[in-house]
Amino acid sequence: GRLYAEQGKVKEAIAQFESVLKLEPKHEQARYNAASIYAQMNEFAKSADHFAVLRKANPNDPQIALLFLGVAYRANRTA
């Protein structure tokens, strides 16, 4: 997935990360990457969903909390 993302092939990257998450829902790196790419694609609701899962798994991580709040805010503003 990361190789696709580096090449700018975001749809392929998302497909790879989502496939990993179907097999291993707790794979944090795949979830973080998917959340980040969704945010880059302005799909803030999908990004917020992934960051919410990460936030629940890492409640004391300020970076995850900040990223979640940013995309959640944008998701509400664009809804």
Side-chain angles (χ1 to χ4, degrees), residues 19-38:
S19 292
V20 169
L21 291 170
K22 284 182 183 179
L23 297 172
E24 195 175 335
K26 293 184 179 183
H27 194 291
E28 290 188 5
Q29 191 62 51
R31 189 165 304 281
Y32 180 88
N33 290 338
S36 297
I37 291 173
Y38 278 128

Side-chain angles (χ1 to χ4, degrees), residues 5 9-10 13 18-19 28 30-31 33 39 46 48 54 61 64 73:
K9 298 178 180 179
V10 293
E18 293 289 1
S19 292
E28 290 188 5
R31 189 165 304 281
N33 290 338
K46 289 180 182 179
L54 289 169
D61 186 324
I64 296 293
Y73 175 77

